[in-house]
Amino acid sequence: ADYQPKPEHKFTFGLWTVGSSGADQFATTFPVRGPKTPAELVRLLGEVGAYGVNFHDNDLIPLDATPAEAEQIKKDFRAALKETGLVVPMATTNLFSAQIFKDGAFTSNDPKVRAYSIQKAMRGMDLGAEFGAKIYVFWGGREGTETDATKNPLDGLKRFREALNFLCEYNNSQGYGYKFALEAKPNEPRGDIYLPTTGSMLAFIETLDHPEMVGVNPEFAHEHMAGLNFMHAVAQAWDAGKLFHIDLNDQNYARFDQDWRFGQQNWKQAFFLVKFLEDVGYTGSRHFDAHAFRTEDYEGVKDFARGCMRTYLIFKEKARQFNEDKEIQALLAEITPASGEMEKFEGKFTAEKAAALKAFSFDRNAIAARGLKYEKLDQLLTDLMMGIR
Ligand code: GLO
Ligand code: NI
Ligand code: NI
Ligand code: NI
């Protein structure tokens, strides 16, 4: 394996990721990297071998741009896409940066803010469609509270639902063919954000008018902030047929939003995630929603972007080795025994089966006495990942 990114790997980055100025909560007015235009960022991504670029409405067109400025930016952006061959698989709306969103967007207590947010999302969908985006992400960054004295969460859910129902109909009315992908995050920037986990989003989707149009965009960092197992969240989304997009990065448990290079910190979790995506045959974008360290210049940003993709491909190769390793596979076969005698109790309920199972006598102690060799298996994986196998 040469670990070189190719279009078929579907590696994408947001304009906001490689375009991050390196500003943080304690240095908002001291960016360490000067701004680059969207067209320049596309060329940077082309240089490192990415397949696609995604954007928020205002990553491409600044909030206060004139129509003439907007046209020029789009023209330059389009030219850079053509030159590099990059595509735009996903677009999204910034409903969290501007002052007007200080109390949320779709769930704000102010009906003017709610209406403005839906207007902004429709315009964002128009913009994404101009560049061929087929996935539209909704991250409700400020849909939440610092104190629940201000809002009833039931109102929050109702407003969020109404907004999405409206936008699903808008999608149909324009014939855009978008699939919506809802992105959960437990907190930051709000004290608490509604629908804090991928699991919450999955349950919420079933309450919408067009559940078939809506899936999820789970993010590694966000599930880790909530102390959860990211791969398990992704698996549940996949099982529900709802894994429409994914945000890859890295994040230590229970910290603020770190948005690190994919695989920087939690190798094992990243490995299991890549293995899962490759084993099930996920065909969507592998989107990196991450930032280079504040210590980096734009050369460092390229190192960061190359690193995200390279690490993914290394884990993909390791997953292949895991699946082809005779000792590991033999052990796996041993620890997941065939049904044998239990087959007659398995599957759908029948009254006879239930009666037979109730009457069956199990040797509980003998069953429990069997060692499962999980220690051995996990060490084989560790050896494999460390490159000594
Ligand atoms: C912030 C989110 C953000 C979203 C983006 C896409 O933590 O991860 O980057 O992914 O706004 O809508
Ligand atoms: Ni995030
Ligand atoms: Ni994200
Ligand atoms: Ni983040």
Side-chain angles (χ1 to χ4, degrees):
D2 63 1
Y3 309 118
Q4 287 304 310
K6 297 189 187 73
E8 70 256 29
H9 298 133
K10 303 255 183 90
F11 290 134
T12 67
F13 290 82
L15 281 181
W16 70 96
T17 65
V18 285
S20 155
S21 69
D24 64 30
Q25 300 268 47
F26 293 93
T28 50
T29 50
F30 293 89
V32 292
R33 292 185 288 271
K36 280 196 185 295
T37 66
E40 286 169 336
L41 292 169
V42 167
R43 289 196 190 93
L44 184 151
L45 286 174
E47 189 185 330
V48 299
Y51 157 77
V53 60
N54 307 312
F55 56 75
H56 298 87
D57 49 357
N58 305 133
D59 300 334
L60 189 59
I61 315 290
L63 201 49
D64 292 318
T66 65
E69 284 163 353
E71 281 316 308
Q72 188 59 48
I73 293 169
K74 285 198 259 181
K75 207 175 144 212
D76 295 345
F77 185 65
R78 206 180 291 283
L81 290 174
K82 201 163 172 230
E83 182 187 317
T84 55
L86 259 74
V87 294
V88 178
M90 177 273 259
T92 182
T93 330
N94 185 325
L95 294 171
F96 44 87
S97 293
Q99 294 88 332
I100 188 172
F101 303 123
K102 64 190 176 190
D103 186 36
F106 299 147
T107 65
S108 164
N109 273 337
D110 185 339
K112 284 191 183 139
V113 176
R114 298 202 295 271
Y116 172 79
S117 302
I118 292 175
Q119 179 199 69
K120 195 170 191 288
M122 287 192 291
R123 291 179 178 176
M125 287 168 66
D126 300 345
L127 184 65
E130 272 190 58
F131 291 95
K134 285 289 167 210
I135 300 287
Y136 205 83
V137 166
F138 290 89
W139 173 55
R142 291 198 191 266
E143 314 290 12
T145 58
E146 282 71 42
T147 165
D148 288 328
T150 59
K151 266 179 231 172
N152 184 329
L154 289 177
D155 290 330
L157 291 169
K158 181 170 172 283
R159 293 168 185 167
F160 200 54
R161 179 180 305 118
E162 278 172 9
L164 286 173
N165 285 341
F166 191 99
L167 293 166
C168 283
E169 297 299 347
Y170 181 69
N171 183 30
N172 278 341
S173 74
Q174 301 299 303
Y176 285 155
Y178 278 122
K179 291 271 188 190
F180 289 179
L182 309 185
E183 179 175 344
K185 185 175 178 179
N187 61 277
E188 199 192 22
R190 295 312 293 268
D192 284 287
I193 300 179
Y194 294 137
L195 299 164
T197 65
T198 297
S200 314
M201 287 296 185
L202 287 170
F204 175 72
I205 288 168
E206 297 309 315
T207 73
L208 298 174
D209 289 348
H210 286 285
E212 75 290 347
M213 205 183 284
V214 187
V216 291
N217 178 36
E219 174 164 321
F220 194 109
H222 298 178
E223 301 296 317
H224 271 217
M225 286 170 73
L228 301 174
N229 181 317
F230 182 56
M231 190 267 273
H232 290 189
V234 169
Q236 194 191 348
W238 177 264
D239 182 63
K242 294 292 187 193
L243 189 66
F244 291 179
H245 201 258
I246 194 164
D247 276 7
L248 301 174
N249 51 18
D250 205 353
Q251 169 82 28
N252 275 325
Y253 283 108
R255 303 255 172 120
F256 68 94
D257 190 10
Q258 294 174 311
D259 278 347
W260 280 331
R261 188 180 77 252
F262 179 66
Q264 178 199 320
Q265 194 76 358
N266 294 287
W267 286 6
K268 229 166 149 176
Q269 283 89 333
F271 165 79
F272 287 130
L273 188 262
V274 171
K275 182 172 184 303
F276 179 85
L277 294 178
E278 298 300 325
D279 283 353
V280 297
Y282 168 76
T283 56
S285 292
R286 274 77 171 163
H287 174 243
F288 298 104
D289 187 8
H291 306 304
F293 302 145
R294 182 169 161 78
T295 48
E296 305 307 294
D297 60 9
Y298 275 103
E299 279 310 306
V301 172
K302 288 182 210 164
D303 292 335
F304 149 84
R306 288 193 178 103
C308 286
M309 298 184 284
R310 183 175 172 82
T311 301
Y312 186 101
L313 293 174
I314 293 170
F315 285 142
K316 182 176 169 178
E317 169 61 14
K318 293 285 178 192
R320 190 191 63 75
Q321 288 171 16
F322 184 96
N323 290 340
E324 286 175 9
D325 189 300
K326 292 213 164 58
E327 193 179 352
I328 289 176
Q329 292 307 316
L331 204 47
L332 271 172
E334 191 184 329
I335 66 184
T336 46
S339 298
E341 205 194 346
M342 292 299 108
E343 209 183 319
K344 57 180 182 287
F345 299 137
E346 289 174 356
K348 266 195 160 43
F349 174 89
T350 66
E352 298 70 45
K353 233 186 240 182
L357 179 53
K358 275 175 85 177
F360 190 82
S361 161
F362 287 94
D363 187 346
R364 182 165 48 84
N365 292 328
I367 295 167
R370 188 169 76 97
L372 298 186
K373 303 194 179 167
Y374 290 2
E375 288 283 6
K376 188 173 179 187
L377 176 64
D378 190 69
Q379 187 60 41
L380 286 174
L381 168 64
T382 301
D383 284 12
L384 189 146
M385 286 187 63
M386 297 299 185
I388 58 160
R389 196 171 163 72

